[in-house]
Amino acid sequence: MPTHPLAPYDALVVLSFGGPEAPDEVMPFLRRVTAGRGIPDDRLTEVAEHYLLFGGVSPINAQNRALVAALAAELQARHASVPVHLANRNTQPFAEEVLAGLTPGRILVILTSGLRSYSSCRQYREDLARAADAGLIVDKIASYAEHPAVLDATTHLTATALAPILADDPAGHVLTVAHSLPLQMDASSGPAQEGGHAYSAALARVSAHLHSRLSERFGRPVPVDLTYCSRSGPPRVPWLGPGVGERLEQLADAGVTTVLLAPIGFVSDHMEVRYDLDTEARAQAEALGIRLERAPTLGIDPRFVSALADLAFARAAEARGESSSVPQCPPPTCPADCCPNPRGELATRCAADVAA
C-alpha cells in the first residue's frame, strides 16, 4: 500500500522558463534563452530594454514561488505532504542544480505551460534529460490547458474582468492571447498520428469555450478572437497570427472602442504579458482610441491550483498501475515523435521511448 496519495513520487518539481531578477542578470538570461540561434548581442540589447523598464526584474519567478507555496498547501490539505521545488530552464534555481540536490528516487514534474509544442513541452523534457542522472526517475503531469477546472478558472478570471467593461460598453470585444510560434513548429506540435497543430488547435478550442461560456453568462453573444503576441525572428519565416496589434487595428477600423485581453497561453505574467500586452499593446490601443483592459493570468487561482493537484494525483495513480483518467487532457507520457525539435533530435525524459 502507498504511504501517501502521491506515492511513488518522493517530490514534485515545478519547472518553469525563469526570468531575471536584477539588471545584471538580464543579458546572461537572454543569451541562455537564445543559445545556438545566432542572435547578435545588439538585438538582445533591444530586448533587454523591455526588462530594464521594470528594473530588470521579470515577475515570473515571484509568481512561481507563490504557485509552489499554494500547491504545497493544497497537497498538505489533501494529506500528501511531499516537498515541492521550483526549477527553471534559464535562471536560478536551474533545473540541473535542483535535480542534483534531490535524493535518488522518483519525482513528478509540473510544467508551467499547459500546451503542447516544442517550446512549451519537449524543450523542457530535453532539459530534464540533461539535468536528471540515472538514479532519478522523472515523470510529468499531462498537458492541462483544456482540463475542465483550468477552463473554469480561465472563464472565471475573464468574466470577472469583462463584467465592468460590458456594463460601460455592451459592444466590448475579447481578444484571447498566446505566444506566437513559427507555423512549422505549430504544424509539428503534438504526436504525428494526430496530424499536428496541437498548439493552435488547443488554443482555438479554449477560445471557443470562452465565447460559449461568456455569451451564456452575459446573456448575449460576446465576440472572442484568438490572437498571438511576441513574434520574433526574420520576417521571411511565417508565424502564427493575427498578432494583437494587427487585430487591434482591424477592430479600431470596425468602430470597436473597448477590448479585453485574456492571456490564455500564459500561466503567469511573463515579460511578454507585462511588456507586449500591458505596455506595447496598451500604447497602441490608446493611439487607436481603444480602451484596453487585461484579465489576470491563472497565477494561484484556487481552481488552477486544485487542478494541478488533481493532475498530480492522477499521474501517481497511473504510476502505481491503478486505473486513472484525466478528462480533456492528452496522455502524460509523450510519444517519441511528439513536438520534434526543429534543430535536431535530442534525448528527452517523460517519453514513450524512455523506460519508466
Side-chain angles (χ1 to χ4, degrees):
M1 293 293 291
T3 56
H4 59 77
L6 282 175
Y9 299 116
D10 305 302
L12 267 62
V13 174
V14 175
L15 180 57
S16 182
F17 190 80
E21 295 193 272
D24 61 358
E25 295 179 13
V26 173
M27 283 299 288
F29 161 76
L30 292 175
R31 291 188 184 111
R32 282 190 290 269
V33 171
T34 60
R37 292 161 56 183
I39 299 178
D41 265 10
D42 57 353
R43 171 56 184 149
L44 297 184
T45 300
E46 294 177 22
V47 179
E49 292 300 321
H50 302 172
Y51 288 86
L52 296 176
L53 285 174
F54 299 88
V57 179
S58 169
I60 188 172
N61 289 349
Q63 293 200 3
N64 282 329
R65 287 190 288 266
L67 177 59
V68 165
L71 183 58
E74 178 73 14
L75 296 177
Q76 184 176 22
R78 299 198 200 185
H79 309 289
S81 298
V82 301
V84 183
H85 304 275
L86 174 63
N88 289 324
R89 292 192 58 241
N90 299 296
T91 53
Q92 293 182 335
F94 291 105
E96 293 89 343
E97 299 168 355
V98 173
L99 268 62
L102 299 180
T103 303
R106 193 162 186 169
I107 66 167
L108 183 61
V109 174
I110 295 173
L111 303 182
T112 57
S113 170
L115 294 157
R116 290 184 293 172
S117 74
Y118 171 70
S119 61
S120 58
C121 185
R122 190 183 185 104
Q123 192 170 17
Y124 288 87
R125 297 193 294 108
E126 292 173 350
D127 291 331
L128 290 170
R130 287 191 294 269
D133 63 28
L136 203 60
I137 299 173
V138 182
D139 296 326
K140 71 173 181 67
I141 66 169
S143 297
Y144 49 80
E146 297 180 80
H147 186 283
V150 176
L151 291 175
D152 285 347
T154 301
T155 300
H156 170 77
L157 293 170
T158 306
T160 301
L162 184 61
I165 290 175
L166 293 184
D168 294 338
D169 181 0
H173 208 99
V174 177
L175 296 182
T176 56
V177 189
H179 201 299
S180 187
L181 294 180
L183 292 186
Q184 184 176 2
M185 186 182 293
D186 176 60
S188 64
S189 61
Q193 65 268 26
E194 293 183 10
H197 303 281
Y199 181 81
S200 60
L203 290 164
R205 289 191 294 267
V206 174
S207 293
H209 177 88
L210 273 177
H211 167 69
S212 176
R213 292 286 300 275
L214 294 174
S215 298
E216 177 184 328
R217 171 162 178 170
F218 293 105
R220 59 181 179 273
V222 174
V224 178
D225 296 336
L226 173 60
T227 62
Y228 296 91
C229 70
S230 308
R231 186 203 190 284
S232 61
R236 68 179 181 275
V237 177
W239 284 53
L240 288 169
V244 173
E246 176 187 354
R247 190 66 183 122
L248 286 174
E249 290 179 356
Q250 293 170 349
L251 292 175
D253 289 343
V256 173
T257 58
T258 311
V259 172
L260 175 71
L261 301 181
I264 63 171
F266 301 92
V267 168
S268 60
D269 285 16
H270 294 237
M271 190 54 65
E272 287 87 348
V273 174
R274 290 289 176 88
Y275 181 81
D276 294 25
L277 302 187
D278 294 350
T279 306
E280 192 172 50
R282 186 175 297 279
Q284 181 183 9
E286 183 176 350
L288 292 170
I290 291 177
R291 170 192 172 189
L292 188 71
E293 304 292 345
R294 178 172 70 81
T297 49
L298 288 164
I300 57 171
D301 182 273
R303 301 163 189 80
F304 176 54
V305 175
S306 177
L308 294 181
D310 289 344
L311 287 156
F313 284 118
R315 187 67 182 92
E318 182 179 341
R320 295 193 298 266
E322 301 170 8
S323 176
S324 176
S325 64
V326 180
Q328 297 172 218
C329 294
T333 302
C334 300
D337 63 0
C338 195
C339 306
N341 184 333
R343 292 183 291 276
E345 185 174 351
L346 297 174
T348 64
R349 288 291 185 102
C350 316
D353 56 335
V354 176

